[in-house]
Amino acid sequence: MAFSWQPDQAGLQQILQLLRESQSPDTETQRAVQQKLEDLNQFPDFNNYLIFVLTKLKNDADEPTRSLSGLILKNNVKAHFHNFPPEVTNFIKMECLQNVGDPSALIRATIGILITTIASKGELTNWPELLPSLCQLLDSSDYNTCEGAFGALQKICEDSADFLDSEVLNRPLNVLIPKFLNYFKHHSPKIRSHAIACVNQFIISKTQALMLHIDPFLENLFALASDEDSEVRKNVCRALVMLLEVRVDRLLPHMQNIIEYILLRTQDPDESVALEACEFWLTLAEQQICREVLGAHLERLIPVLVHGMKYSEIDIILLKGDIEEDDMIPDNVQDIKPRFHKSKSHTQQHSIEEDGEDSDSDYGLDDDDALSDWNLRKCSAAALDVLANVFHDDLMPVLLPILKETLESTEWEVKESGILVLGAIAEGCANAMVPHLPRLIPFLISCLSEKKALVRSITCWTLSRYSHWIVNQPHEEYLKPLMTELLQRILDSNKRVQEAACSAFATLEEEACTELVPYLDTILKTLVFAFGKYQHKNLLILYDAIGTLADSVGHYLNQQNYIELLMPPLIEKWNTLKDEDKDLFPLLECLSSVATALQSGFLPYSKPVYERCVLLTEKTLEQINRASVDPEVEQPDKDFMIVALDLLSGLAEGLEGHIEVFVANSNIMSLLFQCMQDKMPEVRQSSFALLGDLTKACFQHVKPHINDFIPILGQNLNPEFISVCNNATWAIGEVSIQMKGDMTPYIGLVLTQLVEIINRPNTPKTLLENTAITIGRLGLVCPDMVAPMLPQFIRQWCTSLRNIRDNEEKDSAFRGVCAMIAANPLGVVQDFIFFCDAVASWQNPKPDLKEMFFKILHGFKTQVGEENWNQFSNQFPLPLRERLAASYSL
């Protein structure tokens, strides 16, 4: 049947006509063609026509039409392959294998795509002759046949790598890998490139067939080191980067030569090769051996990386670097990237702030849309950043002359790259940079008014990387001049500079916190002025800067003149945005921070905000319910509900008891009950945060539902979902404080899981802290029920809470532990040194809490006797002994 199939000529002409029409620029025509092609799928041999056009009409149809026919067939294979009659399937497979060597490169590539699509539909097992046939075709003396077969094999290796190593197929890789290695020396660069690309698919998974041939693989790779073809060089670099990740042991003996090679390739005239090579330095920095193998090469490597950080001519064209003023030009909708809402999570403030939280950086190119792809500049900057974190101050002797030369350059592109270097090393070389900062920071502040917009924007980013140092110096010298300039840049006439300045200002706000209070008037006037000036995309970043400001200065924002400045533009936006507009996300996040900061100052605006959030939640839940019953109804975007729940949390936290009247007049509790059971972790996370905040603000409305809520909270104490578990844990603690002794019947639903979590290795710090606080609070309200478990958690409990700042939560948790120790003094004996350490971590406990500590410490000392106590306390580190002596006369 398959061999004798011939098309009906009229039908063939009709399909060719459709294929030609579908290449029309007119969207209406295209839509009509799409519909007709979809309708033709009901004819069993329609797909025979498509393969016929692709493989047989070498003279009667142009290449784009034939290729399009193959791509439509590929989509049909994806969607309906299991409905193809067997004779059609066989005809397609046979035609593919017979024509994989078509004279046209475009047609060969299309057939390759078709073959891998069929193969990935599970047909590697149902098409046993496929791999042997392709292997045989590799040996053809005809270049087109060999290249076409290799192209198809490469696509199969990419799409079905795991399957190629399976028992089901008799492990074809055992044959394929040695075969591919033979072609590394082929005279055609295209074939050499295919061969390396095929083998590269199996490096990261350390496939056994490749690991057995690792030596010949390396030999062949090294032999291609100086290949004249850029695709081959790119694949060689890619292979070395992956081998460095998974088989550094095999590269070690050759490491010096490899470093020399990659150094050369990082300067390759073809930027795509240079980018692959540059990845090597990023990967090497993560390896233990980095310092030892790379130290001697820094003098040559660093200048190469710095050179790679300069904008290329093509970058400047793509970034419209010659257009200095564009703030009047509206944004294209497609330029605006989707934003993702980060759900609310309850965290503790630490007495010792840990560093390294903000190393997530985009190298001053935050969302350069034209360059949002990873490129040599970003990769070089990232490599310099990670190497600075390996070599620290040892980089300075190499860097200082380079910095001097680039920063003093009269060419703006060179100067700009020097400023980027300063930002990239800010974290890793922090110590060595300090003596230079008194000169550098004023220099950078002056660069904020450079003529070139791209210099002004990178300077914003670099200054933000030094904000920690700036904030800790006398304000007159650095912070004030920086604020003045940065606020002017927020109102720059160039949109990229506005964006960079807003982001930098948000970083500065996080560092400076309440240090910004004296400047609030100027800051707010600038941000509000920007509201009227900004185009669409930067408005979204402005919301973030305002929200961060509110988080940073807190209740200091609650002054009538500030409120009158800030709220009208926010509320105006709020009123113009429709319920289904995703611009609501950043606005709601911003309002949540503002509501929490303004506290009662937000009251005049709170009713419509509260009601809309409830409505957004209700609408989303209704749509979820409709979609679950009717498959035709689309699933809603749950982010609307998540952001609304988080803003309700912000209102509850800010308004406290004032929110009660709104809660009383709404169905929020029943909505919350549904949200707490949603499949999506982020929805549950935000609903538990809201539950905790409502518990603090108006428990009388939560209490009637406690029977329903606590079992759900208990089911969510699963540390696989860290943030959900964290917020559920915190909410249980808040509920227990309100319930007091009435919590007794519920302890069994939660205590065992909490003790498991606190003892789990590698539990994140925030979750440990919240778990410890909640266990302490449960012990405060039901000491007799929790105290028997003291020995199972007291050590971890003490170490979890020693670094957090004195606050209400810490206070209630320690009162709980004191109550439990009173109920079960033996439970703490084994770990008493940890308890002493935790008590000493308090700066200023309230007098009655201090009294409890005093009693427990002295009770223990009396119990064991003077001599034993002295022996015991001699093990304490000196600072702990001094602290306990000073505060508790021990």
Side-chain angles (χ1 to χ4, degrees), residues 447-619:
C447 293
L448 284 174
S449 43
E450 276 272 339
K451 211 164 76 248
K452 290 301 285 186
L454 287 171
V455 177
R456 298 198 298 277
S457 61
I458 197 64
T459 307
C460 291
W461 176 74
T462 292
L463 277 162
S464 75
R465 301 269 286 173
Y466 290 99
S467 51
H468 181 73
W469 183 86
I470 293 168
V471 168
N472 287 302
Q473 306 307 310
H475 289 194
E476 291 298 324
E477 278 183 55
Y478 307 107
L479 182 64
K480 243 177 135 172
L482 172 59
M483 288 261 298
T484 312
E485 273 303 318
L486 206 48
L487 289 171
Q488 285 181 2
R489 292 293 66 81
I490 284 177
L491 304 177
D492 200 275
S493 57
N494 179 280
K495 290 192 284 193
R496 179 168 286 104
V497 180
Q498 295 171 357
E499 178 182 0
C502 258
S503 299
F505 197 71
T507 307
L508 190 65
E509 289 169 340
E510 287 173 342
E511 277 295 344
C513 293
T514 50
E515 308 262 347
L516 293 180
V517 171
Y519 315 107
L520 266 176
D521 192 58
T522 325
I523 294 172
L524 284 169
K525 283 182 176 146
T526 306
L527 296 178
V528 169
F529 190 78
F531 250 110
K533 183 178 171 72
Y534 277 14
Q535 298 297 342
H536 187 171
K537 179 182 168 194
N538 284 351
L539 262 182
L540 308 183
I541 296 157
L542 183 62
Y543 294 141
D544 182 50
I546 292 172
T548 309
L549 180 68
D551 293 337
S552 302
V553 298
H555 65 89
Y556 291 103
L557 206 51
N558 187 6
Q559 281 191 32
Q560 203 46 42
N561 54 331
Y562 296 159
I563 295 173
E564 283 165 12
L565 265 175
L566 183 58
M567 288 309 296
L570 286 173
I571 293 300
E572 188 195 345
K573 278 288 171 210
W574 165 267
N575 289 330
T576 53
L577 289 176
K578 295 192 171 58
D579 279 353
E580 44 285 334
D581 191 330
K582 290 192 177 178
D583 282 3
L584 271 177
F585 300 166
L587 177 58
L588 290 173
E589 283 172 31
C590 170
L591 279 171
S592 175
S593 296
V594 170
T596 306
L598 289 184
Q599 299 169 336
S600 58
F602 198 79
L603 255 180
Y605 310 94
S606 50
K607 188 171 190 287
V609 172
Y610 179 89
E611 286 170 356
R612 188 173 189 180
C613 288
V614 172
L615 189 69
L616 280 169
T617 308
E618 200 164 24
K619 269 188 175 176

Side-chain angles (χ1 to χ4, degrees), residues 599-848:
Q599 299 169 336
S600 58
F602 198 79
L603 255 180
Y605 310 94
S606 50
K607 188 171 190 287
V609 172
Y610 179 89
E611 286 170 356
R612 188 173 189 180
C613 288
V614 172
L615 189 69
L616 280 169
T617 308
E618 200 164 24
K619 269 188 175 176
T620 312
L621 286 169
E622 276 171 17
Q623 207 178 332
I624 293 171
N625 294 334
R626 282 210 311 278
S628 66
V629 189
D630 181 355
E632 294 296 303
V633 175
E634 204 182 337
Q635 278 290 346
D637 182 342
K638 292 185 183 179
D639 267 358
F640 285 102
M641 174 161 78
I642 295 168
V643 180
L645 292 168
D646 285 349
L647 177 42
L648 287 170
S649 278
L651 282 174
E653 204 179 322
L655 298 176
E656 295 176 331
H658 296 295
I659 201 171
E660 186 277 326
V661 59
F662 303 136
V663 174
N665 295 318
S666 69
N667 59 342
I668 187 65
M669 285 301 156
S670 74
L671 298 177
L672 195 52
F673 180 60
Q674 294 174 64
C675 293
M676 287 168 65
Q677 299 173 80
D678 195 89
K679 287 193 195 71
M680 188 176 179
E682 289 80 1
V683 176
R684 301 201 301 277
Q685 174 183 340
S686 291
S687 57
F688 297 146
L690 178 55
L691 176 63
D693 284 317
L694 288 175
T695 297
K696 288 171 82 168
C698 52
F699 187 62
Q700 66 269 42
H701 295 297
V702 177
K703 193 168 184 181
H705 308 276
I706 279 302
N707 253 333
D708 295 328
F709 287 173
I710 292 186
I712 299 174
L713 288 167
Q715 287 153 19
N716 279 278
L717 295 177
N718 169 9
E720 295 306 310
F721 298 102
I722 287 179
S723 301
V724 179
C725 181
N726 183 54
N727 286 2
T729 303
W730 172 71
I732 291 166
E734 290 300 338
V735 166
S736 61
I737 291 288
Q738 301 290 339
M739 294 279 286
K740 304 191 172 60
D742 295 344
M743 195 68 188
T744 307
Y746 303 108
I747 298 278
L749 290 172
V750 297
L751 185 60
T752 323
Q753 293 100 300
L754 291 169
V755 173
E756 265 174 36
I757 291 167
I758 205 168
N759 284 300
R760 215 165 154 259
N762 304 328
T763 302
K765 199 167 59 202
T766 303
L767 180 54
L768 280 178
E769 290 161 358
N770 278 320
T771 305
I773 284 168
T774 294
I775 291 174
R777 289 175 149 191
L778 292 171
L780 177 64
V781 296
C782 306
D784 294 337
M785 288 195 72
V786 187
M789 293 187 78
L790 258 180
Q792 291 176 43
F793 63 75
I794 187 68
R795 176 186 289 203
Q796 279 73 14
W797 190 94
C798 293
T799 48
S800 300
L801 293 187
R802 66 185 301 278
N803 284 334
I804 70 167
R805 286 187 196 164
D806 298 4
N807 64 18
E808 283 303 317
E809 295 185 8
K810 185 173 176 177
D811 179 278
S812 57
F814 270 83
R815 288 173 192 274
V817 147
C818 291
M820 289 187 273
I821 291 174
N824 178 16
L826 286 174
V828 74
V829 171
Q830 287 297 309
D831 299 300
F832 199 69
I833 184 169
F834 291 94
F835 177 72
C836 296
D837 178 55
V839 165
S841 76
W842 277 86
Q843 303 297 318
N844 304 301
K846 290 179 182 165
D848 63 327

Side-chain angles (χ1 to χ4, degrees), residues 135-151:
C135 271
Q136 204 177 342
L137 294 171
L138 289 184
D139 298 332
S140 163
S141 56
D142 174 51
Y143 166 77
N144 292 336
T145 306
C146 176
E147 196 279 325
F150 238 132

Side-chain angles (χ1 to χ4, degrees), residues 89 157 165-166 240 247 285 295 299 325 330 354 395 424 465 520 546 598 678 701 888:
T89 302
C157 289
D165 195 33
S166 69
L240 289 169
R247 288 307 304 262
E299 277 186 33
E325 298 189 5
E354 281 78 11
L395 284 190
R465 301 269 286 173
L520 266 176
I546 292 172
L598 289 184
D678 195 89
H701 295 297
Y888 299 96

